[in-house]
Amino acid sequence: METTNVFKNNLAAFIRPDVRTIVNKGGTRSSKTWSILQLLYIIAVKSKKPRTISVVSESLPHLKRGCIRDFENMLKADNLWNESVWNATDKIYRVNNCEIEFFGADTPGKVAGPARDLLFINECINVPFEVYRQLATRTREKVILDYNPLYDFWVDDKVLPATDSELIHSTYKDNDMLTAAQIAEIEYQGSIDENYYRVYILGETGSYEGLVIKNWDIVGDMVKDFKKEYIGLDFGYGAPTAAEHIRLSGGETWIDEIIYETNLTNPDIAKRIKDAGLGHVTVVADSAEPKSIRELQNAGLTVVPADKGDDSVRLGIQIMNRYKKHYTARSLGSIDENRKYRYMQDSNGNYTGKPIDKFNHAKDAERYVFLKYLGDIITEFDFSVIRA
């Protein structure tokens, strides 16, 4: 097999006894996935003992378009593909006494099921940390991860700090098998898109493509001088209850997280809001829970139902994104959602304009306020300057 520096670096990390997790962070066409699949195949060929090797991605369709296709093409390029040992139904390829299995992280029985010897999670940035943890704890030997660094996520604070993790950074320049035309196209795309250049050319952490929430930053504290203030509330129990305190000042908004917690009762919620000194502030709550709204009203809070309708999510997000939004540094749940809440993609990878109903508990709470009370306020602007 023809290999790149990325393969060599992964092999060097794999044979080190002090390395448990190999993290491949890099740009487009750096050969991360291809090199890892080469390594796994060679391990299976050379293995003297039976091994189960799991190749996992966020879903089976993602695997079919990515790792499974690459694996087959990789072996066919060297006349090594053997159709008779490929189980197309279970997505298992047998190599001597080893099995290389492919499955999606959205398959609960596979994630929390049998153990394995080696684990490869492709584009792990799309896989929740809890899924990674379930898979990793059932892996006897090594864990290999790869991803394009679209934004900060659990690898940065939960995996890389470990002393037994090895980071391999790569870019398209590490792949000497690219054609001149491919290199020219990559470099052209980087020249017209700053985020593409950072993430896909340099392989450095960027801002997430397809991100729903725009125009925000992190500040130390709430603004003291303000025009209006409200609290947005999204009920939860097994999922987080989110309560976000929002102030309007100078045509911009400041947002402070009061609650982002599971297993709270309505009396708990009322107490949290009062303890924050905000018992006098109007609360806009999820209208799908009228009983909860009444209980909070009985507890002495002013609570109104959120406006909901067929187009309320899109319109609420549109209004939110008109404003500059300043999140206090302690608003960890809401900030985390800003980095993860994204639009759906169609089968061609194009963003649809419809948000994924995930990572949006705090965003829903905020949206209720923006849609109900801030839709008609654009900026505090002196329109006399545009008189005819």
Side-chain angles (χ1 to χ4, degrees):
M1 289 182 173
E2 190 174 2
T3 61
T4 69
N5 286 330
V6 179
F7 171 86
K8 296 169 187 173
N9 291 337
N10 275 274
L11 175 59
F14 181 82
I15 63 178
R16 283 175 52 189
D18 60 323
V19 173
R20 156 74 171 174
T21 307
I22 305 169
V23 180
N24 283 260
K25 170 183 178 179
T28 188
R29 306 299 297 174
S30 70
S31 81
K32 298 185 300 297
T33 302
W34 190 276
S35 295
I36 294 166
L37 291 172
Q38 285 180 319
L39 177 61
L40 296 177
Y41 176 76
I42 291 172
I43 291 168
V45 170
K46 300 290 186 181
S47 182
K48 295 180 180 179
K49 64 178 183 179
R51 275 187 167 112
T52 298
I53 301 170
S54 298
V55 179
V56 183
S57 188
E58 61 179 319
S59 67
L60 185 58
H62 188 271
L63 277 170
K64 288 179 179 178
R65 294 195 305 269
C67 282
I68 292 176
R69 181 185 296 172
D70 283 350
F71 185 74
E72 183 175 347
N73 289 339
M74 176 189 80
L75 295 184
K76 284 181 175 178
D78 288 305
N79 296 314
L80 295 171
W81 176 261
N82 184 349
E83 191 71 30
S84 67
V85 298
W86 170 240
N87 184 326
T89 301
D90 296 330
K91 304 296 184 290
I92 296 174
Y93 192 85
R94 300 186 185 279
V95 182
N96 297 333
N97 57 355
C98 297
E99 291 185 349
I100 302 176
E101 60 175 359
F102 299 80
F103 63 87
D106 55 350
T107 310
K110 290 282 190 177
V111 171
R116 65 198 54 82
D117 298 286
L118 301 174
L119 170 66
F120 168 37
I121 305 181
N122 171 240
E123 289 297 340
C124 62
I125 197 168
N126 297 324
V127 174
F129 174 70
E130 186 56 37
V131 171
Y132 159 78
R133 180 156 55 187
Q134 291 287 339
L135 291 167
T137 55
R138 289 170 171 79
T139 301
R140 288 180 282 266
E141 298 180 39
K142 306 274 187 176
V143 176
I144 306 176
L145 309 173
D146 81 350
Y147 65 101
N148 296 123
L150 298 169
Y151 61 96
D152 289 322
F153 72 117
W154 50 262
V155 160
D156 298 285
D157 58 4
K158 292 184 172 68
V159 177
L160 286 176
T163 57
D164 60 355
S165 293
E166 177 79 4
L167 174 63
I168 298 173
H169 179 269
S170 59
T171 73
Y172 73 100
K173 293 183 178 180
D174 291 292
N175 186 355
D176 54 10
M177 292 188 285
L178 292 175
T179 67
Q182 287 175 307
I183 293 171
E185 180 63 26
I186 292 168
E187 293 178 343
Y188 170 71
Q189 293 299 328
S191 71
I192 61 174
D193 186 325
E194 181 179 350
N195 190 59
Y196 185 97
Y197 179 78
R198 182 173 181 80
V199 174
Y200 294 102
I201 303 294
L202 301 180
E204 295 178 356
T205 304
S207 58
Y208 188 70
E209 292 181 305
L211 197 66
V212 173
I213 304 302
K214 313 288 186 183
N215 197 21
W216 64 279
D217 61 14
I218 300 174
V219 296
D221 210 340
M222 286 289 272
V223 64
K224 303 302 182 185
D225 183 20
F226 58 92
K227 183 175 180 180
K228 298 176 182 291
E229 66 175 343
Y230 304 96
I231 294 171
L233 174 62
D234 189 57
F235 295 107
Y237 193 77
T241 291
E244 309 294 323
H245 180 208
I246 301 173
R247 283 177 172 171
L248 175 70
S249 179
E252 299 181 349
T253 55
W254 275 253
I255 301 173
D256 186 44
E257 192 163 88
I258 308 167
I259 301 170
Y260 196 87
E261 191 175 343
T262 58
N263 302 323
L264 293 184
T265 64
N266 291 326
D268 293 331
I269 295 170
K271 186 176 187 302
R272 295 283 200 285
I273 292 173
K274 291 178 179 179
D275 287 350
L278 299 171
H280 63 287
V281 178
T282 297
V283 178
V284 187
D286 186 354
S287 58
E289 296 204 25
K291 181 179 177 181
S292 293
I293 290 175
R294 177 56 61 88
E295 288 181 358
L296 293 179
Q297 290 170 338
N298 291 342
L301 297 179
T302 301
V303 187
V304 298
D307 296 333
K308 284 195 170 182
D310 292 340
D311 203 31
S312 62
V313 174
R314 183 197 64 80
L315 182 57
I317 290 169
Q318 185 181 78
I319 294 169
M320 284 180 68
N321 283 335
R322 293 178 190 169
Y323 287 89
K324 178 71 174 184
K325 296 171 289 298
H326 307 284
Y327 290 84
T328 61
R330 59 181 168 267
S331 302
L332 298 179
S334 193
I335 290 169
D336 185 56
E337 288 188 5
N338 283 352
R339 292 171 173 158
K340 294 179 178 177
Y341 190 32
R342 56 193 174 100
Y343 289 109
M344 293 181 180
Q345 291 174 280
D346 62 21
S347 59
N348 295 317
N350 299 313
Y351 293 102
T352 64
K354 183 178 181 180
I356 299 171
D357 190 17
K358 191 175 182 181
F359 305 125
N360 58 339
H361 307 291
K363 298 308 102 181
D364 284 348
E366 294 162 23
R367 178 170 54 79
Y368 299 152
V369 170
F370 281 91
L371 182 60
K372 194 171 189 73
Y373 288 117
L374 302 180
D376 294 331
I377 303 169
I378 300 183
T379 60
E380 296 170 356
F381 182 76
D382 182 4
F383 286 93
S384 64
V385 298
I386 58 172
R387 289 175 183 166

